[in-house]
Amino acid sequence: MSLLTSLIRASTQFQQAMEKRQAPATGQEAAPDKARGAKVEVEPSPGDDRFTPSENSQADLARLKARRLAMADYKQTVGQDLAFVRETLRHKLAEYNLPPATALSVAKNDSGNIAVEGNIPDKTRALIENDLNVNRSFREAFSRLSMNEPTLHFMDNALKLNQAYGVNNPLLDTLISENEQFNGLQDLVHRYDTLRRTASAEQLEAAGNARSYAFNLNARA
């Protein structure tokens, strides 16, 4: 609103200057100009409906807030865990003499343990699951991914839609803090997770984000 107020003030000063140049010398004719000038000097209050931000100004504000997101840094952080999880699973395929193109889906079961699904023998799947569950580095990387990747996916899609079609996502605006210190990836993940916990299943599906998370290797779209 400060930018809008500055523009209004500058416009008022310019109009006053033009009126002074055109003001007649006689007192009778000068009086209306003086009254008219007094009306111009009245600045609108912040709650004046005449100066309600337009959709364009709201879109501009949303874009300014979005600039506070360090998307490249977020993607680099998530990318490191993605690469580690992917390479670990590829190593397991090779270790158990499975075709390198074997499709696997890794998720957490109701007990919080790593569970593997795929077209592989049950005995082999059980061995891979045991290996992954005792691998602390894998478990930690997968846990981070299960929180970070859905948040990053949502923000990336929302920003692309904004840039391509000018569509603002109110949820994205809610996630972004005015203070850049609180726009770290973990800050955003925490706020997004809180919103997901309170949102309905229909809202999550409409946003393209499910509550459960699974990492898919060699899966075709």
Side-chain angles (χ1 to χ4, degrees), residues 7 14 29 44 55 77 82-83 118 120 123-124 127 139 151 154-155 168 172 191 198 204-205 209-210 221:
L7 292 173
F14 177 80
E29 295 178 350
E55 292 183 2
T77 299
L82 280 171
I120 56 178
K123 182 179 180 180
T124 303
L127 291 172
R139 287 176 59 90
T151 305
F154 165 75
M155 293 190 299
N168 295 323
L172 179 63
R191 289 194 287 270
T198 58
L204 291 175
E205 290 177 1
N209 293 276

Side-chain angles (χ1 to χ4, degrees), residues 155-177:
M155 293 190 299
D156 195 38
N157 282 345
L159 289 174
K160 287 178 179 177
L161 287 174
N162 180 280
Q163 294 172 359
Y165 305 106
V167 178
N168 295 323
N169 192 308
L171 179 56
L172 179 63
D173 293 340
T174 303
L175 293 180
I176 306 173
S177 172

Side-chain angles (χ1 to χ4, degrees), residues 69-146:
L69 298 177
M71 292 298 293
D73 294 339
Y74 306 154
K75 290 180 179 180
Q76 182 178 6
T77 299
V78 173
Q80 292 173 352
D81 285 333
L82 280 171
F84 177 77
V85 169
R86 185 181 297 110
E87 289 306 312
T88 300
L89 294 176
R90 286 175 176 171
H91 176 74
K92 288 301 170 185
L93 291 177
E95 182 179 349
Y96 290 98
N97 298 316
L98 295 170
T102 300
L104 295 178
S105 178
V106 181
K108 283 188 177 182
N109 58 26
D110 295 337
S111 301
N113 295 320
I114 299 294
V116 177
E117 292 185 4
N119 188 21
I120 56 178
D122 290 341
K123 182 179 180 180
T124 303
R125 181 173 62 252
L127 291 172
I128 293 177
E129 287 180 346
N130 182 71
D131 291 345
L132 297 178
N133 277 297
V134 298
N135 186 332
R136 181 177 178 180
S137 296
F138 182 89
R139 287 176 59 90
E140 291 178 348
F142 186 83
S143 294
R144 288 192 298 268
L145 274 182
S146 66

Side-chain angles (χ1 to χ4, degrees), residues 175-185 187-188 191:
L175 293 180
I176 306 173
S177 172
E178 296 291 344
N179 189 333
E180 294 187 17
Q181 285 185 307
F182 302 113
N183 282 329
L185 180 58
D187 297 318
L188 296 164
R191 289 194 287 270

Side-chain angles (χ1 to χ4, degrees), residues 202-220:
E202 291 77 10
Q203 289 173 317
L204 291 175
E205 290 177 1
N209 293 276
R211 289 185 183 274
S212 59
Y213 173 81
F215 179 87
N216 298 308
L217 178 71
N218 297 328
R220 295 181 179 180

